[in-house]
Every structure is written in structure tokens, then in C-alpha cells.
Amino acid sequence: MAEELVSGDGGGIADGAQSAAGANMNGIADTPPTDDGGQDSGGIADDPGAPSAQGNEADKDAGKASAEPEAYELAAPEDFPLPAENLTSFTAKARELGLSKEQAEGMLHWHKDFHAAVTGAMRQQENATLQGWEKEIQADQEFGGSHWKDTLSNARRALDVFDPDGSLRAMLRETRYQHNPAIIRAIARVGKAMNEHDFVGQGGKGGRIPLEERMYPNM
């Protein structure tokens, strides 16, 4: 029996030799062959399929190399005049996120289309608001309709006196609040009161000159 154990092909738990049939039946003390014919340097708890430490470091180095952002500069589309500082910031962020130039250009064109859609929606909303204001003031029985010319005249009279440098009128034009019914009513009432009380502002503007002053200017 001992002779059979010594001369057999099965191999023991401490044997290094393997038979053709038992080639995959290594024990915990066996040294499994490596692909290149050398010995496996891993320990008994190592995963034979795990990469070596050197392989891990190489993978890390390759990852670092691939993570380097691509150097490129973007140009804004001709129909999208993006400010230079905004374009620079956008380009830097795209490179930071690892986007290629083609991907960054795609995002830039998407931003252009999105901006156009938002701007168009805002313009439509503004037009709807202005139309609503016009409808409201023209339906006002005191200020609109047949009284509209008097309303404009009274409002402009008040602005001539109380806005001599034109700054208030500039603000009203810029914000479109010169069409707001509440603003129109308030300023027109001031101008109407000035007219009724013969109010004379700086430089003689703002109302009618009383009859006695026109007849006797030296008094």
C-alpha cells in the first residue's frame, strides 16, 4: 500500500507533482503554476484572479492620464452673442467635467436653443400683459375711451413739472410701466388737479396762467 502511494499518480496534499487527471486539484499547500510557468507569489488568502499590486499601480497611472482634461477653446455661435466671460467660464467647466470638445459644443448649442425658448416665452408674456393693461385702461370710464386724450395730456403735464430731468419718464419707458393703468390714473389725476387749480410749476410749466396775471403781468 505504501508502495502504491509513493508510485501512484494522484499526488498527496504535500506533493508538488500533478497527474493529468488531477491537475486542477491543488491543495492549500500546493504551489499552483502561473501562466508564464513561474510560481504564484500570492498568499493562501489571496484571490488568484485579483491583479497584482504592480498592476493596480499601473491602472491608477493610466486612469490619471485619461482623466487629464482635453485642451480646447469654444466659440459662441454667431446667432448667440454670449459674453466673453461667460464663454470662458462655460469652457472651463466643460473641461473640468471631462467633456470632449464635441460634447461641450453640443451643450453650448443646447444652451442657445434653451435661451431662445425662454426669451421667447418671456416676450409673449410681456405682450400679453401689455395687451391686458391697454384693454383695462381703455375700458375705464374716467380715463379711457373718449377721455384718453385728456388723460394723456394731464399725465404729461404732471411729468413736465415733477420730472424736470426726465429720469422718471425714462424709467417708465424702460420698464413699460408707462402703460400700467394704476400708474396712468395716479399721474393723470395729478395733472388734472394742477390744471383745475391753475398750478404753475418751475419755468412756468404745469397749468394755465391766471387771467389777472396775463392782464396785469407787472402786478
Side-chain angles (χ1 to χ4, degrees), residues 76-128:
E78 294 182 0
D79 54 347
F80 186 46
L82 194 66
E85 59 272 17
N86 291 0
L87 182 61
T88 300
S89 176
F90 180 89
T91 303
K93 191 62 178 179
R95 293 179 58 190
E96 178 185 339
L97 294 174
L99 299 181
S100 67
K101 184 176 182 180
E102 291 75 15
Q103 291 172 328
E105 288 175 340
M107 288 297 298
L108 187 59
H109 283 277
W110 173 88
H111 181 54
K112 180 200 72 171
D113 295 338
F114 177 77
H115 180 269
V118 170
T119 302
M122 292 176 62
R123 188 176 296 111
Q124 290 180 355
Q125 183 178 2
E126 180 183 4
N127 290 336

Side-chain angles (χ1 to χ4, degrees), residues 12-206:
I13 62 175
D15 292 340
Q18 300 175 348
S19 66
N24 295 325
M25 299 181 62
N26 294 319
I28 62 174
D30 291 336
T31 302
T34 60
D35 293 338
D36 58 0
Q39 292 186 342
D40 190 344
S41 60
I44 61 174
D46 290 339
D47 181 359
S52 65
Q54 292 180 349
N56 290 338
E57 293 298 327
D59 291 342
K60 290 180 181 179
D61 293 339
K64 290 180 180 178
S66 62
E68 290 294 329
E70 179 185 352
Y72 56 80
E73 296 296 334
L74 298 176
E78 294 182 0
D79 54 347
F80 186 46
L82 194 66
E85 59 272 17
N86 291 0
L87 182 61
T88 300
S89 176
F90 180 89
T91 303
K93 191 62 178 179
R95 293 179 58 190
E96 178 185 339
L97 294 174
L99 299 181
S100 67
K101 184 176 182 180
E102 291 75 15
Q103 291 172 328
E105 288 175 340
M107 288 297 298
L108 187 59
H109 283 277
W110 173 88
H111 181 54
K112 180 200 72 171
D113 295 338
F114 177 77
H115 180 269
V118 170
T119 302
M122 292 176 62
R123 188 176 296 111
Q124 290 180 355
Q125 183 178 2
E126 180 183 4
N127 290 336
T129 298
L130 292 173
Q131 291 173 4
W133 285 351
E134 181 180 5
K135 184 177 180 180
E136 178 182 343
I137 194 63
Q138 291 300 327
D140 192 302
Q141 296 182 359
E142 181 181 356
F143 297 93
S146 60
H147 301 287
W148 180 241
K149 283 187 177 182
D150 292 336
T151 297
L152 287 178
S153 178
N154 291 331
R156 289 166 180 167
R157 179 183 298 109
L159 290 172
D160 284 342
V161 174
F162 295 106
D163 183 36
D165 62 354
S167 57
L168 176 59
R169 278 166 285 191
M171 183 271 290
L172 291 174
R173 286 192 298 269
E174 182 178 354
T175 62
R176 313 300 291 273
Y177 268 90
Q178 65 168 332
H179 305 291
N180 184 281
I183 299 295
I184 294 173
R185 293 186 188 102
I187 298 179
R189 286 190 178 108
V190 173
K192 184 178 180 180
M194 292 165 51
N195 188 42
E196 291 174 349
H197 295 84
D198 294 326
F199 181 88
V200 181
Q202 296 179 354
K205 297 181 180 179

